[in-house]
Amino acid sequence: MNKNAFRQLSYGVYVISTWDKGRATGCTANSAMQITSDPATIAVSINHDNYTNQCIQETGKFAVSILGEHSDPGIIGTFGFQSGKDKNKFDEVEQVVKEYMPVVADACAYIVCEVIDKMETSSHTVFLGKVLDADVLKKDDPMTYAYYHNVVKGKSPKNAPTYIAEDNADTASSGKKYVCSVCGYVYEGDIPFEELPGDFKCPVCKQPKSAFVEK
């Protein structure tokens, strides 16, 4: 089976957020879709290992922040490569509250949902949510996973439904490359990596220069 065929499906880049006993938390996701129009219903897929999964189960609500091509790519790293159990992710990302739910302020749009049903798979929970509120926050083109992969040069977190272990295979081509050991971002800037300042950080997950390894 060639899992690269799955990449021909269309995906976006989202932050799924909720409350953790009064504290805002969330995770990145690329599997969110509208199931019905009337009543409007949204489905999101969240890995069992993501702390956000447990919080949605307890809260019964979630918000989908739709990231745009001009959204700060560091948002993806903050919510995709760290655990909300150990870190308050919204300390680093500005939020706005919509219909009593935390939303990423730098998103191009948001959707707030109340969980009405769910389906369990071996690794993920698919939450079905009745839409309570939705609006456009700013004019921007929604970020697709293809854009994130090809332009931002980011990789899927291991908990993502679309994660393929061979993701890192494309870094093994000839030529010296420096790859973030946390999120898989490949540095391809004009300045040689060795000459970057000591305070350089990965633009996706904000890890220091020392987190990069030569491939």
Side-chain angles (χ1 to χ4, degrees), residues 8 10 27 29 35-37 58 64 73 78 82 93 100 106 112 119 122 130 139 145 152 177 186 188 190 199 207:
Q8 303 307 307
S10 179
C27 65
I35 302 299
T36 62
S37 59
E58 295 175 354
V64 180
T78 297
Q82 305 178 83
V93 176
Y100 309 108
D106 194 22
V112 174
M119 179 182 69
S122 60
K130 179 180 69 175
K139 186 176 180 179
Y145 176 73
V152 181
K177 292 184 179 181
V186 180
E188 296 180 340
D190 295 330
D199 60 355
Q207 294 299 308

Side-chain angles (χ1 to χ4, degrees), residues 26-185:
C27 65
T28 55
N30 50 25
S31 295
M33 63 182 296
Q34 183 176 351
I35 302 299
T36 62
S37 59
D38 187 17
T41 307
I42 300 292
V44 297
S45 179
I46 307 294
N47 194 288
H48 292 156
D49 292 336
N50 280 349
Y51 186 60
T52 302
N53 187 311
Q54 174 185 329
C55 295
I56 294 175
Q57 304 265 14
E58 295 175 354
T59 305
K61 292 183 179 180
F62 63 87
V64 180
S65 296
I66 303 170
L67 301 186
E69 292 182 357
H70 294 91
S71 295
D72 181 358
I75 295 172
I76 302 168
T78 297
F79 285 92
F81 297 94
Q82 305 178 83
S83 173
K85 182 182 296 185
D86 307 318
K87 186 177 184 63
N88 189 347
K89 301 178 184 181
F90 276 101
D91 280 348
E92 301 177 11
V93 176
E94 182 182 357
Q95 66 168 292
V96 291
V97 176
K98 300 293 184 179
E99 190 60 32
Y100 309 108
M101 294 298 292
V103 169
V104 174
D106 194 22
C108 62
Y110 72 87
I111 305 170
V112 174
C113 298
E114 177 183 7
V115 176
I116 57 173
D117 207 346
K118 64 179 181 177
M119 179 182 69
E120 299 291 348
T121 73
S122 60
S123 60
H124 288 68
T125 303
V126 178
F127 293 100
L128 296 181
K130 179 180 69 175
V131 176
L132 303 177
D133 187 28
D135 203 357
V136 175
L137 293 175
K138 64 178 181 179
K139 186 176 180 179
D140 196 0
D141 291 326
M143 186 185 299
T144 63
Y145 176 73
Y147 182 94
Y148 170 63
H149 185 79
N150 297 323
V151 179
V152 181
K153 303 297 183 182
K155 306 295 182 181
S156 294
K158 288 187 177 181
N159 285 346
T162 56
Y163 175 75
I164 299 175
E166 292 79 10
D167 261 357
N168 292 326
D170 58 5
T171 65
S173 59
S174 60
K176 184 185 295 187
K177 292 184 179 181
Y178 288 88
V179 182
C180 178
S181 60
V182 176
C183 71
Y185 170 81

